């Protein structure tokens, strides 16, 4: 994985071929995000073949619960907030994460 960096440091003249940062990077990031979502859909399909529809539903509930906790933490858990607000946000994050991890194991047979 480090071979491009080794190549560029061993021959700095190759740096002129490296693309400059700009708006194209945002488009590439969004495109790669869509590829990542397609990968998640494919993995959900594989899970549906192995665990059935119930397994997929529990995984999606776990992912939703964890993402809500991460959103709450990102919105209210930053250093600019007061300590009690950050503590509540951290508590919500941990409760959502634990709920998302424990729920599938307690309901699947």
């Amino acid at each position: 994985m480090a071979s491009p960096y080794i190549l560029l440091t061993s021959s700095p003249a190759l740096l002129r071929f490296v693309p400059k940062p700009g708006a194209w990077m945002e488009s590439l990031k969004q495109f790669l995000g869509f590829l990542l979502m397609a990968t998640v859909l494919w993995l959900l399909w594989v899970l549906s073949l192995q665990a059935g529809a119930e397994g997929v539903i529990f995984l999606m509930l776990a992912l939703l619960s964890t993402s809500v906790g991460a959103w709450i933490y990102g919105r209210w858990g930053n250093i600019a907030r007061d300590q009690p607000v950050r503590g509540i946000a951290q508590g919500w994050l941990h409760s959502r994460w634990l709920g998302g991890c424990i729920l599938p194991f307690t309901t699947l047979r």
Side-chain angles (χ1 to χ4, degrees):
M1 288 183 67
S3 57
Y5 295 109
I6 293 172
L7 184 64
L8 290 173
T9 55
S10 65
S11 179
L14 294 175
L15 282 174
R16 62 188 170 107
F17 295 111
V18 176
K20 303 291 183 240
W24 69 273
M25 293 180 96
E26 186 66 29
S27 298
L28 178 66
K29 183 176 77 169
Q30 292 171 358
F31 173 72
L32 292 175
F34 283 113
L35 290 179
L36 188 61
M37 286 188 282
T39 303
V40 169
L41 290 176
W42 175 74
L43 287 171
L44 282 173
W45 173 72
V46 171
L47 180 66
S48 73
L49 294 177
Q50 294 179 350
E54 189 174 273
V56 173
I57 289 173
F58 286 128
L59 175 66
M60 291 191 324
L61 285 174
L63 291 174
L64 177 66
S65 178
T66 303
S67 64
V68 166
W71 176 76
I72 288 172
Y73 181 72
R75 180 93 168 119
W76 290 290
N78 60 17
I79 196 76
R81 300 289 182 171
D82 295 334
Q83 181 61 34
V85 174
R86 285 196 317 244
I88 292 170
Q90 289 174 354
W92 267 97
L93 170 67
H94 292 128
S95 69
R96 297 297 96 200
W97 182 76
L98 283 174
C101 290
I102 293 172
L103 174 70
F105 293 114
T106 59
T107 53
L108 286 178
R109 294 175 207 108

